[in-house]
Amino acid sequence: MNTDITASAKPEYPVIDRNPAFTKVAGNFNTLDYCRFITLTGVSVTVGYLSGIKPGIKGASMVTGGLIGMMGGFMYAYQNSAGRLMGFFPNEGEVSRYQKRGFSS
């Protein structure tokens, strides 16, 4: 059985790392990734609060919504960062940064 997830699609942009480690992907977050992460978390906290007004569980609903939004926001930012490192998303900034440091895959 083929378990290689990159076998079905070929990267359209330069590949920096075919199989980046967690720390490399998380360290590669850019400003837009952090903005998406924070925005998704903030919207989820607000939705959680508003959905808990009627049943009277505002606090618990807000915390639950915030945790779900935080996990979703992190996964979205992680997906974008990993996609740039693996060459599936535009990655001009990463290519120039890693070429300056002398890294190659």
Side-chain angles (χ1 to χ4, degrees):
M1 177 164 75
N2 186 5
T3 59
D4 184 14
I5 61 169
T6 60
S8 62
K10 300 296 179 202
E12 297 178 25
Y13 302 96
V15 176
I16 297 168
D17 192 345
R18 288 180 186 258
N19 187 17
F22 175 82
T23 54
K24 188 171 187 177
V25 174
N28 188 53
F29 282 9
N30 61 17
T31 306
L32 186 57
D33 291 330
Y34 284 114
C35 287
R36 290 173 176 155
F37 180 29
I38 292 167
T39 302
L40 196 53
T41 303
V43 167
S44 297
V45 168
T46 305
V47 168
Y49 178 81
L50 294 174
S51 65
I53 290 176
K54 184 83 170 172
I57 53 169
K58 294 181 282 199
S61 180
M62 182 175 65
V63 170
T64 303
L67 288 173
I68 292 170
M70 187 173 66
M71 288 186 291
F74 178 79
M75 286 187 273
Y76 186 52
Y78 188 91
Q79 172 183 318
N80 286 322
S81 179
R84 288 191 308 271
L85 288 172
M86 292 188 288
F88 292 106
F89 299 137
N91 59 2
E92 297 86 20
E94 285 79 6
V95 169
S96 64
R97 184 170 60 236
Y98 283 103
Q99 282 179 346
K100 273 191 226 175
R101 294 180 185 173
F103 291 110
S104 62
S105 56

